[in-house]
Amino acid sequence: MVKFLSLSEAVAENLNDGDTVAFEGFTHLIPTAAAHEAIRQGFRELTLIRMTPDLIYDQMIGMGMARKIVFSYVGNPGVGLLRRARDAIENGFPREIEIEEHSHAGMANAYEAGAAGLPCAVFRGYRGAGLAAVNPNIKSVTCPFTGEVLAAVPAIKPDVTFIHAQKADRKGNVLVEGIIGIQKEAVLAAKRAVVSVEEVVDSFDDLHPNLTVLPNWTIAAIAVVPGGSHPSYTHGYYVRDNAAYLEWDDIAADRDRFQAWMQKNVIDKSADDFAARVEHLRTAA
């Protein structure tokens, strides 16, 4: 049964050292507050899964939390590199990490397979690409009906998935609006799911029935965290903080500056601070 908890309680109850975990979001609804809470609680030996790792995975990798990352793109969107991730991959700082790279199609299909309870995903993909040569989890199978050779990858089944969303109702159902990305499938594929939301409303009765609603039986815990996806945006609430993404490139380029920034802006803060961070971004939403 879904629980309404503080974010610190939700993370502590559902994330463990050594877990395979997805902090999913695409362009908006990136669960920054949840990732920062995991950093504060000091989890280690995590396998981090995400189609498009950006700032939060750069921060988690830079803090030494990741044993492995599974991804289909690594970068600071619109800016360039993830410098802490690159330092870990190339120089083993602050620790060596294993990488498993896929295409977007490969990961999307793997999440869908996990959500459906299947052992693997089969699809047309990786043709003309070299990823299969460096990723042993990319296989090929022959269709028994047509003889076509298809790509196959293991289903993604996280121990826990974290997402951010606009609303939950008092029964624990979750509403996701705007760009959905892979959030729905990431929740359905996971053993446990934690959702941070902008607000809780009485019901969704007055909303369009085709909006994406994750029923309460798919969710382990909900935490109300206004502004919880900053510096990404939450459709209908606040816009993207582009300046923060540009600033991050300079911060992450220097190991000492990165550590100082993390101490001041993550370790010494709490989820309650996110609402103030988006106040200047709300009027344009």
Side-chain angles (χ1 to χ4, degrees):
M1 182 177 178
V2 63
K3 298 179 181 179
F4 286 87
L5 301 172
S6 69
L7 186 60
S8 61
E9 292 171 328
V11 171
E13 286 193 12
N14 289 283
L15 185 59
N16 303 291
D17 288 340
D19 272 354
T20 296
V21 55
F23 290 81
E24 274 294 352
F26 187 75
T27 305
H28 76 145
L29 298 177
I30 295 170
T32 308
H36 283 187
E37 185 58 43
I39 292 169
R40 280 189 290 273
Q41 294 189 24
F43 292 98
R44 290 292 185 266
E45 299 298 321
L46 300 177
T47 295
L48 299 177
I49 300 176
R50 188 162 163 215
M51 287 183 65
T52 55
D54 62 357
L55 273 56
I56 58 173
Y57 276 20
D58 209 29
Q59 293 163 2
M60 297 175 85
I61 290 167
M63 296 300 286
M65 300 172 68
R67 178 188 69 83
K68 177 181 178 179
I69 56 171
V70 181
F71 62 94
S72 53
Y73 162 88
V74 174
N76 182 344
V79 180
L81 303 173
L82 288 186
R83 297 185 183 275
R84 292 298 90 225
R86 182 171 184 172
D87 202 7
I89 293 166
E90 293 186 349
N91 304 311
F93 185 89
R95 59 169 294 172
E96 293 183 353
I97 60 171
E98 182 182 349
I99 63 171
E100 181 178 327
E101 185 175 0
H102 290 274
S103 66
H104 279 342
M107 287 199 68
N109 277 278
Y111 268 126
E112 288 189 346
L118 297 172
C120 67
V122 177
F123 60 103
R124 292 188 181 96
Y126 298 109
R127 296 177 180 177
L131 282 174
V134 296
N135 183 348
N137 278 332
I138 300 171
K139 306 290 187 182
S140 62
V141 297
T142 300
C143 174
F145 303 105
T146 67
E148 182 180 2
V149 177
L150 301 167
V153 294
I156 292 176
K157 298 179 180 180
D159 292 309
V160 57
T161 289
F162 291 87
I163 66 168
H164 189 73
Q166 280 92 350
K167 298 179 178 72
D169 69 14
R170 300 199 184 281
K171 295 179 180 179
N173 304 301
V174 170
L175 171 70
V176 184
E177 296 180 280
I179 299 172
I180 304 301
I182 204 69
Q183 286 98 311
K184 179 180 70 173
E185 290 80 5
V187 166
L188 296 177
K191 296 176 184 176
R192 304 177 298 280
V194 175
V195 184
S196 56
V197 296
E198 294 291 324
E199 62 177 325
V200 174
V201 298
D202 289 333
S203 74
F204 298 149
D205 292 345
D206 59 341
L207 299 175
H208 193 284
N210 284 347
L211 291 174
T212 300
V213 175
L214 289 164
N216 55 19
W217 54 265
T218 67
I219 310 295
I222 294 170
V224 180
V225 188
S229 70
H230 178 268
S232 77
Y233 72 97
T234 292
H235 175 76
Y237 288 79
Y238 44 88
V239 299
R240 189 177 190 265
D241 190 347
N242 292 318
Y245 286 88
L246 291 168
E247 182 185 20
W248 181 252
D249 191 53
D250 289 333
I251 294 166
D254 181 84
R255 293 175 180 177
D256 292 336
R257 186 178 177 190
F258 163 78
Q259 287 290 343
W261 189 95
M262 293 297 293
Q263 184 69 45
K264 179 180 179 180
N265 294 281
V266 179
I267 304 301
D268 293 341
K269 298 289 185 179
S270 74
D272 295 337
D273 296 305
F274 274 84
R277 298 180 191 180
V278 299
E279 279 306 313
H280 70 292
L281 303 168
R282 290 188 183 278
T283 56

